[in-house]
């Protein structure tokens, strides 16, 4: 182990005395040593980001210059794609096929898209508000933005947030999960090489419980963009309310996939496997509840279970691997706890539900793909996010019942509908309480489309014009041009 992971503050890579070992979840081995930020580095990063926003050259750059800088990050990611994919796989346990074909190219695309599509929107808009007055609505960056990201898509979610925040002209402090800081550091190197002015992008690896409050409550920070669990999201809202600042919250989910009788069974089974087992089920949009219409329920279930049993678990850097390990031993314990509760509640496990016996995998945090049935809408596993490779499959008879079941949880992040009847599917999409509905597909994120959940899944959007707009503030400037006949207010006390 010789990989070091320093912090990045004000254009400098900084080692700190407090360190954390970074583990490869496939093998349980230490792969790097990461510096952890203390309150001192938090103060420094905030001060530098503030200075860079208030007095640095970044806000003065023309929109074209800003586009060029942001495009350089996209190119830097593409130039280092193979190394980044390896690093992300080693740090997260995500199969190399996923990091190579999904995480890394999508990360580059986020910068490319934001650079090329929304920056022009920052030009102000003029209105003739009355015969004598005109107004301009200015679109300005919010200021200093703290970006807090989880461990399940460390690079991709960091890139979504950075691309939007930087395209809008903000300065940022990125806080990766202390479990997965390695790709964020590589990104910092790419940004450094691209020549960004000091203080525009800062990267603080640290433990949330130690530095979270200092980072999120500080008056000099204007906005928090958070992706993570509900529990931590609520804490961050408390911190940020101390000095009243804008927050966006991308939180958990318990998403439903609804499969109608008229589907192509094989296609629906294959896609449904991906919709829960990609990234070991550690996806906020994982379809962890699958509802299947009566007539095809038995066949769907038999085929799904048979294929789930054949999913190839393995070390994440093996290109043949279809499912890697969970992120940590603690996460696996959390999943096992849910399985124990489900058993106690009388639910049947049709496959998985345990640690694999394969000796090659014994040091990693593997868990078998798990299918549960006989789950009622009141049970824990029906309502709560497990964040692992665990799915429950349940029957429904018609679209109304499916909508009721899908909407009966506190979350509202995403849903899938599978049917050849597109009218029925589109009507049902309108009834679902979910920020994203995929019809006859799963997991397709497009940079054009705003993504974000309802209810306990949070508020605010990522991506799309709406996501970009989260990172700007609107200012209206009213200019009265009349010489004499001013509005009444101008004479109010001057009679
Ligand atoms: P988490 O909430 O434990 O941590 C998320 C981030 O918050 C990490 O960087 C962590 O270090 C930081 N953090 C922890 N305590 C903090 C504190 N007190 N103050 C400030 N920051 C703190 O989440 P996780 O376990 O890393 O990720 C899994 C969760 O993320 C799941 O609930 C998943 O659904 C959610 N998620 C949501 C989306 C979405 O787009 N809605 C996407 C991915 C993941």
């Amino acid at each position: 182990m010789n990989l070091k992971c320093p912090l990045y503050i004000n254009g400098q890579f900084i080692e700190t005395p407090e360190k954390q070992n970074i583990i490869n979840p496939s093998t349980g081995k230490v792969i790097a040593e990461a510096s952890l930020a203390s309150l001192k580095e938090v103060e420094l990063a905030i001060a530098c980001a503030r200075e860079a926003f208030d007095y640095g050259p970044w806000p003065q750059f023309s929109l074209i210059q800003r586009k060029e800088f942001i495009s350089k990050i996209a190119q830097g990611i593409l130039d280092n794609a193979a190394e980044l994919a390896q690093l992300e796989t080693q740090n997260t346990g995500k199969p190399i096929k996923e990091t190579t074909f999904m995480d890394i190219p999508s990360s580059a695309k986020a910068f490319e898209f934001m650079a090329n599509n929304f920056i022009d929107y920052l030009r102000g808009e003029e209105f003739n508000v009355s015969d004598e007055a005109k107004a301009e609505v200015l679109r300005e960056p919010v200021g200093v933005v703290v970006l807090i990201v989880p461990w399940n898509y460390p690079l991709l979610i960091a890139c979504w947030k950075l691309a939007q925040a930087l395209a809008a002209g903000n300065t940022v402090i990125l806080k990766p999960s202390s479990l997965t800081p390695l790709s964020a550091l590589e990104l910092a190197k790419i940004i450094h090489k691209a020549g960004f002015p000091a203080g525009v992008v800062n990267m603080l690896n640290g433990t949330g419980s130690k530095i979270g409050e200092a980072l999120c409550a500080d008056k000099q920070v204007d906005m928090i963009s958070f992706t993570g669990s509900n529990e931590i999201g609520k804490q961050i809202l408390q911190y940020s309310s101390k000095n009243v600042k804008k927050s966006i919250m991308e939180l958990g989910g318990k998403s439903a996939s609804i499969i109608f009788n008229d589907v192509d069974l094989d296609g629906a089974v294959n896609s449904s496997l991906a919709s829960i087992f990609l990234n070991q089920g550690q996806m906020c949009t994982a379809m962890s509840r699958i509802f299947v219409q009566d007539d095809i329920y038995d066949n769907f279930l038999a085929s799904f279970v048979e294929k789930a049993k054949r999913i190839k678990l393995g070390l994440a850097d093996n290109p043949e691997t279809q499912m890697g390990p969970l992120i940590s031993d603690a996460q696996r314990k959390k999943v096992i706890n849910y399985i124990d509760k489900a058993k106690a509640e009388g639910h049947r496990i049709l496959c998985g539900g345990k640690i694999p016996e394969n000796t090659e995998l014994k040091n990693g945090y593997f868990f078998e793909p798990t299918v549960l049935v006989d789950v009622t809408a009141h049970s824990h596993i029906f309502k709560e996010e497990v964040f692992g490779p665990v799915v429950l499959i349940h029957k429904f008879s018609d679209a109304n019942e499916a909508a009721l079941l899908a909407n009966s949880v506190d979350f509202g992040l995403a849903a899938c509908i599978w049917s050849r009847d597109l009218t029925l599917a589109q009507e049902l999409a309108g009834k679902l309480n979910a920020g994203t509905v995929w019809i006859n597909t799963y997991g397709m994120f497009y940079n054009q489309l705003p993504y974000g959940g309802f209810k306990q899944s949070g508020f605010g959007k990522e991506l799309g014009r709406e996501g970009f707009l989260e990172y700007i503030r609107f200012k209206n400037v009213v200019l009265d041009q009349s010489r004499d006949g001013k509005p009444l207010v101008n004479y109010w006390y001057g009679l």
Side-chain angles (χ1 to χ4, degrees):
M1 188 269 303
N2 52 12
L3 198 58
K4 299 270 182 211
C5 181
L7 314 182
Y8 181 63
I9 303 175
N10 208 27
Q12 314 253 324
F13 291 92
I14 298 175
E15 291 281 351
T16 60
E18 202 187 340
K19 308 283 187 201
Q20 171 159 329
N21 283 337
I22 303 300
I23 309 287
N24 178 343
S26 286
T27 60
K29 287 201 175 126
V30 175
I31 49 169
E33 186 186 66
S35 285
L36 289 173
S38 68
L39 295 181
K40 187 175 123 202
E41 286 79 40
V42 171
E43 260 179 44
L44 180 67
I46 294 175
C48 294
R50 189 75 258 167
E51 170 91 13
F53 186 79
D54 292 339
Y55 308 109
W58 176 244
Q60 317 307 329
F61 283 177
S62 70
L63 296 183
I64 291 177
Q65 280 174 308
R66 206 186 292 165
K67 271 186 197 181
E68 285 168 3
F69 269 100
I70 293 168
S71 303
K72 280 190 201 168
I73 308 181
Q75 193 54 49
I77 293 173
L78 294 176
D79 291 345
N80 293 282
E83 295 84 354
L84 279 167
Q86 273 295 342
L87 200 64
E88 196 77 325
T89 283
Q90 279 188 24
N91 197 172
T92 62
K94 215 185 275 266
I96 188 76
K97 207 164 113 184
E98 285 182 38
T99 50
T100 303
F101 294 107
M102 296 180 189
D103 299 53
I104 309 304
S106 305
S107 300
K109 270 195 197 127
F111 286 104
E112 214 175 87
F113 186 83
M114 288 297 154
N116 290 322
N117 287 278
F118 295 133
I119 288 190
D120 287 335
Y121 191 71
L122 292 170
R123 295 180 211 287
E125 196 176 350
E126 286 194 353
F127 296 85
N128 288 321
V129 285
S130 75
D131 290 346
E132 304 297 349
K134 67 174 188 175
E136 195 179 6
V137 175
L138 304 179
R139 289 139 184 186
E140 301 177 337
V142 176
V144 174
V145 185
V146 164
L147 312 172
I148 302 181
V149 301
W151 47 256
N152 66 331
Y153 286 87
L155 185 69
L156 180 59
I157 295 178
C159 288
W160 284 359
K161 290 187 189 299
L162 275 166
Q164 296 166 114
L166 293 175
N170 299 283
T171 61
V172 302
I173 301 166
L174 169 69
K175 197 202 93 52
S177 162
S178 53
L179 293 175
T180 54
L182 299 187
S183 53
L185 171 70
E186 289 312 300
L187 191 62
K189 287 183 188 162
I190 288 168
I191 288 169
H192 187 74
K193 203 168 153 204
F196 273 71
V200 173
V201 178
N202 305 276
M203 201 275 287
L204 275 190
N205 176 41
T207 326
S209 55
K210 274 202 182 154
I211 63 167
E213 181 163 7
L215 203 50
C216 301
D218 197 300
K219 261 190 196 161
Q220 300 175 85
V221 170
D222 299 293
M223 173 179 169
I224 316 289
S225 172
F226 173 74
T227 300
S229 63
N230 282 57
E231 188 197 340
I232 303 297
K234 285 176 193 163
Q235 284 182 29
I236 289 178
L237 285 173
Q238 281 182 358
Y239 307 151
S240 64
S241 70
K242 288 188 181 169
N243 281 305
V244 187
K245 62 193 60 174
K246 179 171 184 179
S247 306
I248 63 170
M249 293 280 136
E250 305 293 344
L251 308 177
K254 191 75 195 178
S255 298
S257 185
I258 299 168
I259 300 174
F260 284 91
N261 285 335
D262 65 352
V263 289
D264 153 39
L265 194 67
D266 259 1
V269 169
N270 288 337
S271 324
S272 300
L273 288 161
S275 76
I276 174 65
F277 295 135
L278 275 175
N279 202 19
Q280 294 72 251
Q282 301 167 132
M283 299 177 287
C284 49
T285 56
M287 295 292 142
S288 52
R289 298 178 302 147
I290 299 183
F291 301 114
V292 186
Q293 205 167 13
D294 306 309
D295 290 358
I296 59 162
Y297 177 81
D298 290 340
N299 287 344
F300 179 95
L301 187 61
S303 170
F304 189 95
V305 169
E306 188 266 320
K307 288 185 174 176
K309 284 182 183 162
R310 285 198 276 128
I311 289 177
K312 195 171 173 326
L313 271 70
L315 302 179
D317 57 4
N318 179 347
E320 305 285 305
T321 291
Q322 294 176 321
M323 187 185 280
L326 302 189
I327 187 69
S328 64
D329 195 34
Q331 187 63 19
R332 185 168 65 175
K333 285 195 174 114
K334 187 182 151 205
V335 173
I336 292 172
N337 205 11
Y338 269 110
I339 298 294
D340 291 345
K341 266 198 227 165
K343 282 185 195 157
E345 287 180 311
H347 313 323
R348 268 190 307 140
I349 296 179
L350 297 191
C351 71
K354 58 182 174 51
I355 295 172
E357 278 150 23
N358 181 346
T359 50
E360 194 202 13
L361 309 181
K362 73 176 188 323
N363 295 323
Y365 312 125
F366 293 86
F367 197 76
E368 290 184 356
T370 302
V371 180
L372 290 165
V373 290
D374 301 341
V375 177
T376 65
H378 303 292
S379 61
H380 288 281
I381 210 144
F382 189 97
K383 294 184 288 192
E384 294 168 23
E385 184 183 46
V386 176
F387 224 54
V390 180
V391 65
L392 60 92
I393 304 188
H394 199 82
K395 238 183 231 184
F396 74 91
S397 354
D398 59 27
N400 283 338
E401 188 193 359
L404 270 176
L405 285 165
N407 289 339
S408 66
V409 294
D410 286 339
F411 295 103
L413 191 57
C416 281
I417 301 170
W418 296 89
S419 173
R420 289 197 167 113
D421 182 344
L422 298 186
T423 309
L424 169 118
Q426 281 171 294
E427 267 174 27
L428 178 56
K431 292 182 187 158
L432 294 180
N433 228 332
T436 294
V437 181
W438 287 293
I439 298 177
N440 295 329
T441 185
Y442 168 72
M444 301 309 295
F445 289 89
Y446 295 98
N447 287 306
Q448 297 91 319
L449 304 180
Y451 161 75
F454 304 150
K455 303 199 304 188
Q456 298 292 306
S457 293
F459 51 84
K461 295 292 174 193
E462 296 274 18
L463 306 180
R465 194 180 59 167
E466 293 76 3
F468 173 74
L469 293 181
E470 298 282 6
Y471 293 85
I472 71 173
R473 64 181 192 181
F474 295 85
K475 177 188 284 176
N476 81 60
V477 179
V478 177
L479 173 65
D480 191 284
Q481 304 175 106
S482 55
R483 283 179 181 275
D484 303 316
K486 298 275 187 196
L488 187 56
V489 69
N490 291 51
Y491 304 101
W492 203 263
Y493 295 111
L495 298 171

